[in-house]
Amino acid sequence: MGAVSVAAGRVMDGAVSGFQPANRSGQEAQLSRRAAPRPSAERAEKAIPSPRRNAYPFSAIVGQEEMKRALMIAAVDPSIGGVLVFGDRGTGKSTAVRSLAALLPEMAVVAGCPFACDPVAPLASCSHCGALPKGRKAEKRMVPVPVVDLPLGTTEDRLAGALDIERALAQGIKAFEPGLLAAAHRGFLYIDEVNLLEDHLVDLLLDVAASGENVVEREGISLRHPARFVLIGSGNPEEGELRPQLLDRFGLSVEVTTPTDLASRVEVVCRRDAYDRDASGFIKQWAEDEARTRETVLAGRKRLSSVTLPLGTIEQAAKLCMALGTDGLRGELTLVRAARALAALEGDLEVGTEHLRRIAASALRHRLRRNPLDETVATTRVEKALEDVFGP
């Protein structure tokens, strides 16, 4: 089907890349040398990024149904593990991510918390929320869902956070400067060209993805903070392969291609041109479609806990993974979770074989063992296994 043009992929070039520098205040209390330092409230107010409000409408993206469905599933159930989008350049990969984040309603955070903790259940591991007086209800404020870019040339300190050198030299205070992982908490961490990411950053991401916490131990600083986010990666397979350890951490993997039919290509150009000429007018034109998509995602979130997963469906998922020879059990877990989120999105209260069929390729294609003597593409192998296990 269709895709978003090359220009569409550049809509969000100015997206958030992390925290903005905070103004320094000489009235901040000095921190104990032994205690884990906490960022100031002033710094926290500037710590939470927001997506651009004039993002290209998610519902206006032409075609790319698998990619849009996978992103919506990840928005309904972030525990699935994120989405990997591989395909041609200029097919709307980054545009779709930021469009979905802009589509979602604002979220409540603890006022003054640099890690955007949920005021309903602030985490004790958060250095800010854990220090709040017992029995005191945390104040909240509403912020947009963050979309944080992880540049390929970033440093480990920029990603994980580090000592605030300016305050250390000027005031003699050991203060922590939060990094991109803190900024992405409860939002999206987007990595373009993820297959080119340096190995030491991949190792750090693997640790945080597994634990949901970022632990910083350096320059006399000892601190841990929550870091749960939907990891979105995109790239061109021609530019290199992704490390197997990181590849397996992505819940879903989708393939996007340049449209081959004339009508889709023309529609992409027309919509993109209309958006470039009058962004506010174009967004207003798609407002009703965006509202329907938003309601679908929110209804799916509410319905998710009510969707039942029959034992027979789990057995079918296990048979499919056995037929494909996937390593470990992450394939089955991701498959049934994604199928449940898909059912919730579509208003179904029970996961059936049809849900498994429709999400199997996205959940399993990147988990298959490679056979150098078999040139069959992963998607074809999954489709063949589906016919063998479920029938035509």
Side-chain angles (χ1 to χ4, degrees), residues 173-384:
I173 298 175
K174 287 186 178 180
F176 179 67
E177 182 73 23
L180 301 181
L181 294 176
H185 181 52
R186 301 178 62 204
F188 296 85
L189 181 63
Y190 177 59
I191 313 172
D192 194 14
E193 306 296 347
V194 63
N195 45 331
L196 303 180
L197 193 65
E198 297 183 14
D199 286 347
H200 70 283
L201 298 181
V202 171
D203 294 335
L204 177 57
L205 280 175
L206 289 174
D207 291 340
V208 175
S211 65
E213 287 186 338
N214 178 38
V215 180
V216 180
E217 298 277 355
R218 62 188 67 179
E219 290 100 11
I221 289 179
S222 176
L223 180 140
R224 64 176 62 227
H225 66 80
R228 298 185 182 277
F229 44 79
V230 178
L231 184 62
I232 307 292
S234 66
N236 187 338
E238 296 178 356
E239 297 177 352
E241 297 181 353
L242 196 63
R243 276 180 56 179
Q245 296 91 335
L246 184 57
L247 184 65
D248 190 53
R249 284 292 175 183
F250 284 97
L252 304 176
S253 174
V254 300
E255 298 175 349
V256 293
T257 58
T258 304
T260 56
D261 62 296
L262 179 62
S264 294
R265 298 176 80 109
V266 170
E267 185 64 21
V268 168
V269 174
C270 289
R271 292 186 186 182
R272 180 63 203 189
D273 182 64
Y275 174 80
D276 289 339
R277 287 176 176 272
D278 182 10
S280 60
F282 186 81
I283 292 172
K284 186 178 297 184
Q285 178 184 349
W286 285 89
E288 291 186 6
D289 297 86
E290 290 288 90
R292 283 194 292 269
T293 304
R294 181 184 300 109
E295 288 301 318
T296 299
V297 173
L298 295 180
R301 287 178 173 179
K302 294 179 181 179
R303 194 180 295 116
L304 183 64
S305 60
S306 302
V307 177
T308 60
L309 184 63
L311 180 59
T313 303
I314 299 176
E315 290 177 348
Q316 292 289 83
K319 287 180 181 179
L320 178 62
C321 291
M322 291 174 64
L324 289 168
T326 58
D327 293 327
L329 297 175
R330 190 169 284 130
E332 284 94 329
L333 288 171
T334 303
L335 179 57
V336 296
R337 287 173 179 170
R340 180 164 51 199
L342 178 61
L345 267 176
E346 298 182 343
D348 300 323
L349 295 179
E350 182 176 288
V351 182
T353 302
E354 185 59 29
H355 298 113
L356 294 179
R357 279 182 176 273
R358 292 168 55 198
I359 204 63
S362 299
L364 300 176
R365 63 160 61 95
H366 57 303
R367 307 181 192 280
L368 305 185
R369 296 177 183 176
R370 298 186 179 181
N371 184 352
L373 301 179
D374 185 1
E375 297 182 355
T376 306
V377 296
T379 303
T380 304
R381 291 171 60 187
V382 174
E383 292 173 351
K384 183 178 184 304

Side-chain angles (χ1 to χ4, degrees), residues 149-185:
D149 280 337
L150 198 167
L152 292 180
T154 194
T155 63
E156 186 172 335
D157 285 349
R158 186 74 186 96
L159 179 60
L163 179 69
D164 186 339
I165 300 299
E166 182 178 338
R167 292 183 67 196
L169 294 177
Q171 304 176 28
I173 298 175
K174 287 186 178 180
F176 179 67
E177 182 73 23
L180 301 181
L181 294 176
H185 181 52

Side-chain angles (χ1 to χ4, degrees), residues 51-135:
R52 288 177 57 173
R53 296 185 180 278
N54 62 338
Y56 190 91
F58 185 80
S59 52
I61 296 175
V62 179
Q64 305 298 14
E65 298 303 327
E66 185 187 17
M67 175 177 66
K68 291 192 289 186
R69 182 180 60 196
L71 291 174
M72 291 174 68
I73 286 174
V76 169
D77 186 3
S79 68
I80 287 172
V83 181
L84 178 64
V85 186
F86 260 10
D88 302 333
R89 302 179 187 88
T91 48
K93 299 185 290 291
S94 59
T95 299
V97 176
R98 297 185 177 96
S99 296
L100 178 64
L103 173 76
L104 298 177
E106 292 186 335
M107 64 182 190
V109 302
V110 175
C113 176
F115 309 116
C117 284
D118 188 346
V120 176
L123 300 178
S125 59
C126 173
S127 59
H128 177 273
C129 299
L132 293 175
K134 292 184 178 180

Side-chain angles (χ1 to χ4, degrees), residues 128-142:
H128 177 273
C129 299
L132 293 175
K134 292 184 178 180
R136 177 185 171 185
K137 189 175 182 180
E139 297 181 8
K140 70 176 183 179
R141 67 186 183 96
M142 304 302 294

